[in-house]
Amino acid sequence: MEDEEFIYGYQNSLLESGIKSDDDITYHSKFHSSEHYRDWPAAVLFLLHIITVIIIAFTLAFSQEDGKSNFDHLFTHEQRVEVTQMILVSCLIGFSLCLVWLIIISTFALGIILIAFLIFVGFNLICSVIAFSVGQTIIGGLLLAFVLVISIYFFTIRKHIQFSSLLFKLVIRIVRLYPATIFFAIVISFVQIIWLLIWGYLAVNAFSRGNVVSKFELFFLFISLFWTTQVLQNTVHTTVAGTVSTWYFMHQTGMPLNPTLSSWKRATSYSFGSICFGSLFIALIRSVRAIALSFRNSENRFLRLLIGFLLGLLEQGALYFNIYAFTQVAIYGKSYISASVDAWKLMKSRGLDILINHDIVSLVVLLMCVVSGLFTAFCGGIWASQHHDIDVRTVSGMCFTVGFAINGVILEVFESGVTCLFVCYCEDSEILAESDVVLFSKFRESTNI
């Protein structure tokens, strides 16, 4: 490990908590304290982009001529107020559903995993039956084969499912000790609500001019949405991972008073540039993919769909990789490039175990987000159906996006916690053996790691 790399908060937290023995300092001597702003140009660029969007939105909001706004030829004043109110209600619905999920997951861990698997298999099985019923035998056969493969896969990893459920339970235990992780996720969720309202206003204004939207404007809108959303989610991930890793490495020798606050400060200062840098890659891929799929009048439809599919695969791979890169950022305070190198090394050594654990955790979180998004879209669709001059599909789509995004931020607490515990356990399982023999033995029984 290079000298400029350090573990977030460990040595500083030792001093804060009053642990100054030679043994403790020696034990943590491999982690070097440092206060460097990593990848700071990316943070500056991100903040400049935020300021630009806010200035444009406020300029449009107050640029009225003859008492008419930029929306008047498309929306009446009453419609704009009603749609804005519905988006706000959708935010509250999504937030409420997220609280319900937190209660459920704190009570049932293994059950949630099994239910998620059954719903996933059942959904694909129903789609297969529907495909056969409408004469699409090839699609139906492929879906049926997919269901069979997934069922065999989950049967094969049933032992690892128990391991993931133990990780979930341990994360719940840590979250109960440090509920500030939930608080900061909720704060980020409210920030995302405000951002969605500002971005939505800007987007509606752009599209209210009809189809006269340049490719640059479209690209800027997509970049702004995806980049900001990713930065918020990864800030939650880094904060939670910092808290969990501090508990993992220090709970035996002594914890600082508020590890979550310390992790939050580091995520929004020294590591914020790394978060912005890594999030930008995802935003670029998603933006290019969204633009490629938006060209409905393209002559070569097959090529457009192929490009969209390939970019989708690239996006999923990048998302998968970034989770572990940002975990390295949270634990060791590395720059994004350095964290990516070490994340790649971990994947090469524990690739199959990482993939299995990621599949299980992601499936559970995805199920929660989709269900919340669908319920929010259902509520928005019912509301829109009562207004004959408002498109139901558009409102439902907006509500689904809002519900899904808000849950994605808050539920990041559990996904981040499980991922961080897995990485810590892979890198140094003996610490858990010393601090919790019973839990360590259960981990050993349920996995070969």
Side-chain angles (χ1 to χ4, degrees), residues 306-365:
L306 178 61
I307 293 175
F309 174 75
L310 294 176
L311 288 174
L313 291 179
L314 180 61
E315 175 190 336
Q316 292 303 313
L319 284 171
Y320 170 72
F321 180 81
N322 259 5
I323 290 175
Y324 294 93
F326 284 127
T327 301
Q328 294 283 336
V329 169
I331 299 175
Y332 301 106
K334 303 170 184 177
S335 65
Y336 178 73
I337 298 298
S338 178
S340 299
V341 172
D342 288 340
W344 177 249
K345 292 179 181 178
L346 179 63
M347 288 181 177
K348 287 194 296 184
S349 62
R350 299 289 187 181
L352 184 59
D353 294 314
I354 289 178
L355 180 61
I356 292 173
N357 186 73
H358 180 78
D359 286 343
I360 295 172
V361 175
S362 297
L363 179 61
V364 174
V365 173

Coordinates of all heavy atoms in Angstrom, one line a residue, residues 306-365:
L306 N -29.0 -2.2 -31.2 CA -27.8 -2.9 -30.9 C -26.8 -2.0 -30.1 O -26.2 -2.5 -29.1 CB -27.1 -3.4 -32.2 CG -25.7 -4.1 -32.0 CD1 -25.9 -5.4 -31.2 CD2 -25.1 -4.4 -33.4
I307 N -26.7 -0.8 -30.5 CA -25.8 0.1 -29.8 C -26.4 0.4 -28.4 O -25.6 0.4 -27.4 CB -25.7 1.5 -30.5 CG1 -25.0 1.3 -31.8 CG2 -25.0 2.5 -29.7 CD1 -24.9 2.5 -32.7
G308 N -27.7 0.5 -28.3 CA -28.3 0.6 -26.9 C -28.1 -0.6 -26.1 O -27.8 -0.4 -24.9
F309 N -28.1 -1.8 -26.6 CA -27.9 -3.0 -25.9 C -26.5 -3.1 -25.4 O -26.2 -3.4 -24.2 CB -28.3 -4.2 -26.7 CG -27.9 -5.5 -26.1 CD1 -28.7 -6.0 -25.1 CD2 -26.8 -6.2 -26.5 CE1 -28.4 -7.2 -24.5 CE2 -26.5 -7.5 -26.0 CZ -27.3 -8.0 -24.9
L310 N -25.5 -2.8 -26.3 CA -24.1 -2.9 -25.9 C -23.7 -1.8 -24.9 O -23.0 -2.1 -23.9 CB -23.2 -2.7 -27.2 CG -23.3 -3.8 -28.2 CD1 -22.5 -3.4 -29.4 CD2 -22.9 -5.1 -27.6
L311 N -24.3 -0.6 -25.0 CA -24.1 0.4 -24.0 C -24.7 0.1 -22.7 O -24.2 0.4 -21.6 CB -24.6 1.8 -24.5 CG -23.8 2.4 -25.6 CD1 -24.6 3.7 -26.1 CD2 -22.4 2.8 -25.2
G312 N -25.8 -0.7 -22.7 CA -26.5 -1.1 -21.5 C -25.6 -2.1 -20.8 O -25.5 -2.1 -19.5
L313 N -25.0 -3.0 -21.5 CA -24.1 -4.0 -20.9 C -22.9 -3.3 -20.3 O -22.4 -3.6 -19.2 CB -23.6 -5.0 -21.9 CG -24.6 -6.0 -22.5 CD1 -24.0 -6.9 -23.5 CD2 -25.2 -6.8 -21.3
L314 N -22.3 -2.3 -21.0 CA -21.2 -1.5 -20.5 C -21.6 -0.7 -19.3 O -20.8 -0.7 -18.3 CB -20.7 -0.5 -21.6 CG -19.5 0.4 -21.2 CD1 -18.3 -0.5 -20.9 CD2 -19.2 1.4 -22.4
E315 N -22.8 -0.2 -19.2 CA -23.3 0.5 -18.1 C -23.4 -0.4 -16.9 O -22.9 0.0 -15.8 CB -24.7 1.1 -18.4 CG -25.3 1.8 -17.2 CD -26.7 2.2 -17.5 OE1 -27.1 2.4 -18.7 OE2 -27.5 2.3 -16.5
Q316 N -23.9 -1.6 -17.0 CA -24.1 -2.5 -15.9 C -22.7 -2.9 -15.4 O -22.5 -3.0 -14.2 CB -24.9 -3.7 -16.3 CG -26.4 -3.4 -16.6 CD -27.0 -2.8 -15.4 OE1 -26.9 -3.2 -14.3 NE2 -27.8 -1.7 -15.7
G317 N -21.8 -3.2 -16.3 CA -20.4 -3.5 -15.9 C -19.8 -2.4 -15.1 O -19.1 -2.7 -14.1
A318 N -19.9 -1.2 -15.6 CA -19.3 0.0 -14.9 C -20.0 0.2 -13.5 O -19.3 0.5 -12.6 CB -19.5 1.2 -15.8
L319 N -21.3 0.0 -13.4 CA -22.0 0.2 -12.2 C -21.4 -0.9 -11.2 O -21.2 -0.6 -10.0 CB -23.5 0.0 -12.3 CG -24.2 1.2 -12.9 CD1 -25.6 0.9 -13.2 CD2 -24.2 2.4 -11.9
Y320 N -21.3 -2.1 -11.6 CA -20.8 -3.2 -10.8 C -19.4 -2.9 -10.3 O -19.1 -3.1 -9.1 CB -20.9 -4.5 -11.6 CG -20.2 -5.7 -11.0 CD1 -20.8 -6.3 -9.9 CD2 -19.0 -6.2 -11.6 CE1 -20.1 -7.4 -9.4 CE2 -18.4 -7.3 -11.0 CZ -19.0 -7.9 -9.9 OH -18.3 -9.0 -9.4
F321 N -18.6 -2.4 -11.2 CA -17.2 -2.2 -10.8 C -17.1 -1.0 -9.9 O -16.3 -1.0 -8.9 CB -16.4 -1.9 -12.1 CG -15.0 -1.6 -11.9 CD1 -14.0 -2.6 -11.6 CD2 -14.5 -0.3 -11.8 CE1 -12.7 -2.3 -11.4 CE2 -13.2 0.0 -11.6 CZ -12.3 -1.0 -11.4
N322 N -17.9 0.1 -10.1 CA -17.8 1.3 -9.3 C -18.2 1.0 -7.9 O -17.7 1.7 -7.0 CB -18.8 2.3 -9.9 CG -18.0 3.4 -10.7 OD1 -16.8 3.2 -10.9 ND2 -18.7 4.4 -11.2
I323 N -19.1 0.1 -7.6 CA -19.5 -0.2 -6.2 C -18.2 -0.6 -5.4 O -18.0 -0.1 -4.3 CB -20.5 -1.3 -6.2 CG1 -21.8 -0.8 -6.7 CG2 -20.7 -1.8 -4.7 CD1 -22.9 -1.9 -6.8
Y324 N -17.4 -1.4 -6.0 CA -16.2 -1.9 -5.3 C -15.1 -0.9 -5.3 O -14.3 -0.8 -4.4 CB -15.8 -3.2 -5.8 CG -16.8 -4.3 -5.6 CD1 -17.8 -4.5 -6.5 CD2 -16.9 -5.0 -4.4 CE1 -18.8 -5.5 -6.3 CE2 -17.8 -5.9 -4.1 CZ -18.8 -6.2 -5.0 OH -19.8 -7.1 -4.8
A325 N -15.0 -0.1 -6.3 CA -14.0 1.0 -6.4 C -14.3 2.1 -5.3 O -13.4 2.5 -4.6 CB -14.0 1.7 -7.8
F326 N -15.6 2.4 -5.2 CA -16.0 3.4 -4.2 C -15.9 2.9 -2.7 O -15.7 3.6 -1.8 CB -17.4 4.0 -4.4 CG -17.5 5.0 -5.6 CD1 -18.3 4.8 -6.6 CD2 -16.6 6.0 -5.6 CE1 -18.4 5.7 -7.7 CE2 -16.7 7.0 -6.7 CZ -17.6 6.8 -7.7
T327 N -16.0 1.5 -2.6 CA -15.8 0.9 -1.3 C -14.3 1.1 -0.9 O -14.0 1.4 0.2 CB -16.1 -0.6 -1.3 OG1 -17.5 -0.7 -1.7 CG2 -15.9 -1.2 0.0
Q328 N -13.4 0.9 -1.9 CA -12.0 1.2 -1.6 C -11.7 2.6 -1.3 O -10.9 3.0 -0.4 CB -11.2 0.8 -2.9 CG -11.2 -0.7 -3.2 CD -10.2 -1.5 -2.3 OE1 -9.3 -1.0 -1.7 NE2 -10.5 -2.8 -2.2
V329 N -12.4 3.5 -2.0 CA -12.3 5.0 -1.7 C -12.8 5.2 -0.2 O -12.1 6.0 0.5 CB -13.2 5.8 -2.6 CG1 -13.3 7.2 -2.2 CG2 -12.6 5.8 -4.0
A330 N -13.9 4.6 0.2 CA -14.4 4.8 1.5 C -13.5 4.3 2.6 O -13.3 4.9 3.6 CB -15.8 4.2 1.7
I331 N -12.9 3.1 2.4 CA -12.1 2.5 3.4 C -10.7 3.1 3.5 O -10.2 3.4 4.6 CB -12.0 1.0 3.1 CG1 -13.3 0.3 3.2 CG2 -11.0 0.3 4.1 CD1 -13.3 -1.2 2.8
Y332 N -10.1 3.3 2.3 CA -8.7 3.7 2.3 C -8.4 5.1 1.9 O -7.3 5.6 1.8 CB -7.9 2.7 1.4 CG -7.9 1.3 1.9 CD1 -8.7 0.4 1.1 CD2 -7.2 0.9 3.0 CE1 -8.8 -1.0 1.6 CE2 -7.3 -0.5 3.4 CZ -8.1 -1.4 2.7 OH -8.2 -2.7 3.1
G333 N -9.5 5.8 1.4 CA -9.3 7.2 1.0 C -8.5 7.4 -0.2 O -7.8 8.4 -0.4
K334 N -8.5 6.4 -1.1 CA -7.7 6.5 -2.3 C -8.3 7.4 -3.4 O -9.5 7.7 -3.3 CB -7.5 5.1 -2.9 CG -6.9 4.1 -1.9 CD -7.0 2.7 -2.5 CE -6.5 1.6 -1.5 NZ -6.6 0.3 -2.0
S335 N -7.5 7.7 -4.4 CA -8.1 8.4 -5.5 C -8.9 7.4 -6.3 O -8.7 6.1 -6.1 CB -6.9 8.9 -6.4 OG -6.1 7.9 -7.0
Y336 N -9.7 7.8 -7.3 CA -10.6 6.9 -8.0 C -9.7 5.9 -8.8 O -10.1 4.7 -8.8 CB -11.5 7.7 -8.9 CG -12.4 6.8 -9.7 CD1 -13.4 6.1 -9.1 CD2 -12.2 6.6 -11.1 CE1 -14.3 5.2 -9.8 CE2 -13.0 5.7 -11.8 CZ -14.0 5.1 -11.2 OH -14.8 4.2 -11.9
I337 N -8.7 6.4 -9.5 CA -7.9 5.5 -10.3 C -7.2 4.4 -9.4 O -7.2 3.2 -9.8 CB -6.8 6.3 -11.1 CG1 -7.5 7.3 -12.0 CG2 -5.9 5.3 -11.9 CD1 -8.4 6.6 -13.1
S338 N -6.6 4.8 -8.3 CA -5.9 3.9 -7.4 C -6.9 2.9 -6.8 O -6.7 1.7 -6.7 CB -5.2 4.6 -6.3 OG -4.6 3.8 -5.4
A339 N -8.1 3.4 -6.5 CA -9.2 2.5 -5.9 C -9.6 1.5 -7.0 O -9.9 0.3 -6.7 CB -10.3 3.3 -5.4
S340 N -9.7 1.9 -8.2 CA -10.1 1.1 -9.3 C -9.1 -0.1 -9.5 O -9.5 -1.2 -9.8 CB -10.3 1.9 -10.6 OG -11.3 2.9 -10.5
V341 N -7.9 0.3 -9.4 CA -6.8 -0.8 -9.6 C -7.0 -1.8 -8.5 O -6.9 -3.1 -8.8 CB -5.4 -0.1 -9.6 CG1 -4.3 -1.2 -9.6 CG2 -5.2 0.8 -10.8
D342 N -7.1 -1.4 -7.3 CA -7.2 -2.4 -6.2 C -8.6 -3.1 -6.2 O -8.6 -4.3 -5.9 CB -7.1 -1.7 -4.9 CG -5.6 -1.2 -4.6 OD1 -4.7 -1.8 -5.3 OD2 -5.4 -0.3 -3.8
A343 N -9.6 -2.5 -6.7 CA -10.9 -3.2 -6.9 C -10.8 -4.3 -7.9 O -11.3 -5.4 -7.8 CB -12.0 -2.2 -7.2
W344 N -10.0 -4.0 -9.0 CA -9.8 -5.0 -10.0 C -9.0 -6.2 -9.5 O -9.3 -7.3 -9.8 CB -9.1 -4.3 -11.2 CG -8.8 -5.3 -12.3 CD1 -7.6 -5.7 -12.7 CD2 -9.7 -6.0 -13.2 NE1 -7.7 -6.6 -13.7 CE2 -9.0 -6.8 -14.0 CE3 -11.1 -6.0 -13.3 CZ2 -9.6 -7.6 -15.0 CZ3 -11.7 -6.7 -14.2 CH2 -11.0 -7.6 -15.1
K345 N -8.0 -5.9 -8.7 CA -7.3 -7.0 -8.1 C -8.1 -7.9 -7.2 O -8.0 -9.1 -7.2 CB -6.1 -6.4 -7.2 CG -5.0 -5.7 -8.1 CD -3.9 -5.2 -7.1 CE -2.9 -4.4 -8.0 NZ -1.8 -3.8 -7.1
L346 N -9.0 -7.2 -6.4 CA -9.9 -8.0 -5.6 C -10.9 -8.8 -6.4 O -11.2 -10.0 -6.1 CB -10.7 -7.0 -4.7 CG -11.8 -7.7 -3.7 CD1 -11.1 -8.6 -2.7 CD2 -12.6 -6.6 -3.0
M347 N -11.4 -8.3 -7.5 CA -12.3 -9.0 -8.4 C -11.6 -10.2 -9.0 O -12.2 -11.3 -9.2 CB -12.8 -8.1 -9.5 CG -13.8 -7.1 -9.0 SD -14.5 -6.0 -10.3 CE -15.6 -5.1 -9.4
K348 N -10.3 -10.1 -9.3 CA -9.6 -11.2 -9.9 C -9.4 -12.3 -8.9 O -9.4 -13.5 -9.3 CB -8.3 -10.7 -10.5 CG -8.4 -9.9 -11.8 CD -7.1 -9.8 -12.5 CE -6.1 -9.0 -11.7 NZ -4.8 -8.8 -12.4
S349 N -9.2 -12.0 -7.7 CA -8.9 -13.0 -6.7 C -10.2 -13.6 -6.1 O -10.2 -14.8 -5.7 CB -8.1 -12.4 -5.5 OG -8.8 -11.3 -4.9
R350 N -11.3 -12.8 -6.0 CA -12.6 -13.3 -5.4 C -13.7 -13.0 -6.4 O -14.8 -12.8 -5.9 CB -12.8 -12.5 -4.1 CG -11.8 -12.6 -3.1 CD -11.8 -14.0 -2.4 NE -10.9 -14.1 -1.3 CZ -10.7 -15.2 -0.6 NH1 -11.4 -16.3 -0.9 NH2 -9.9 -15.2 0.4
G351 N -13.5 -13.2 -7.7 CA -14.4 -12.8 -8.7 C -15.8 -13.5 -8.5 O -16.8 -12.8 -8.5
L352 N -15.8 -14.8 -8.4 CA -17.0 -15.6 -8.3 C -17.8 -15.2 -7.1 O -19.0 -15.0 -7.1 CB -16.8 -17.1 -8.4 CG -18.0 -18.0 -8.5 CD1 -18.9 -17.6 -9.7 CD2 -17.6 -19.4 -8.5
D353 N -17.1 -15.2 -5.9 CA -17.8 -14.9 -4.7 C -18.4 -13.5 -4.7 O -19.5 -13.2 -4.2 CB -16.8 -15.0 -3.5 CG -16.3 -16.4 -3.3 OD1 -17.2 -17.3 -3.3 OD2 -15.1 -16.6 -3.1
I354 N -17.6 -12.5 -5.3 CA -18.1 -11.1 -5.4 C -19.4 -11.1 -6.3 O -20.4 -10.4 -6.0 CB -17.0 -10.2 -5.9 CG1 -15.9 -10.0 -4.9 CG2 -17.6 -8.9 -6.4 CD1 -14.8 -9.2 -5.4
L355 N -19.3 -11.8 -7.4 CA -20.4 -11.8 -8.3 C -21.7 -12.4 -7.7 O -22.8 -11.8 -7.8 CB -20.1 -12.6 -9.6 CG -21.1 -12.7 -10.7 CD1 -21.5 -11.3 -11.2 CD2 -20.7 -13.6 -11.8
I356 N -21.5 -13.5 -7.0 CA -22.7 -14.1 -6.3 C -23.3 -13.2 -5.3 O -24.5 -13.0 -5.2 CB -22.3 -15.4 -5.7 CG1 -21.9 -16.5 -6.8 CG2 -23.4 -16.0 -4.9 CD1 -21.4 -17.8 -6.3
N357 N -22.5 -12.6 -4.4 CA -23.0 -11.7 -3.4 C -23.6 -10.5 -4.0 O -24.7 -10.1 -3.5 CB -21.8 -11.3 -2.5 CG -22.3 -10.5 -1.3 OD1 -22.9 -11.0 -0.3 ND2 -22.0 -9.2 -1.3
H358 N -23.0 -10.0 -5.0 CA -23.6 -8.8 -5.7 C -24.9 -9.1 -6.3 O -25.9 -8.3 -6.2 CB -22.6 -8.3 -6.7 CG -23.1 -7.1 -7.5 ND1 -23.1 -5.8 -7.0 CD2 -23.7 -6.9 -8.7 CE1 -23.6 -4.9 -7.8 NE2 -24.0 -5.6 -8.9
D359 N -25.1 -10.3 -6.9 CA -26.3 -10.7 -7.5 C -27.4 -10.7 -6.5 O -28.6 -10.2 -6.7 CB -26.2 -12.0 -8.2 CG -25.4 -11.9 -9.5 OD1 -25.2 -10.8 -10.0 OD2 -24.9 -13.0 -10.0
I360 N -27.1 -11.3 -5.4 CA -28.2 -11.5 -4.3 C -28.6 -10.2 -3.8 O -29.8 -9.9 -3.7 CB -27.6 -12.4 -3.2 CG1 -27.4 -13.8 -3.8 CG2 -28.6 -12.5 -2.1 CD1 -26.7 -14.7 -2.8
V361 N -27.6 -9.3 -3.4 CA -28.0 -8.0 -2.8 C -28.7 -7.1 -3.8 O -29.7 -6.5 -3.5 CB -26.7 -7.4 -2.3 CG1 -27.0 -6.0 -1.7 CG2 -26.1 -8.2 -1.2
S362 N -28.2 -7.1 -5.0 CA -28.7 -6.2 -6.0 C -30.2 -6.6 -6.4 O -31.0 -5.8 -6.6 CB -27.9 -6.2 -7.3 OG -26.6 -5.7 -7.1
L363 N -30.4 -7.9 -6.4 CA -31.8 -8.4 -6.7 C -32.8 -7.9 -5.7 O -33.9 -7.5 -6.0 CB -31.8 -9.9 -6.8 CG -33.1 -10.6 -7.0 CD1 -33.7 -10.2 -8.4 CD2 -33.0 -12.1 -7.0
V364 N -32.4 -8.0 -4.4 CA -33.3 -7.5 -3.3 C -33.5 -6.0 -3.4 O -34.7 -5.6 -3.3 CB -32.7 -7.9 -1.9 CG1 -33.5 -7.3 -0.8 CG2 -32.6 -9.4 -1.8
V365 N -32.5 -5.3 -3.6 CA -32.6 -3.8 -3.7 C -33.4 -3.4 -4.9 O -34.3 -2.5 -4.8 CB -31.2 -3.1 -3.6 CG1 -31.4 -1.6 -3.9 CG2 -30.5 -3.4 -2.3

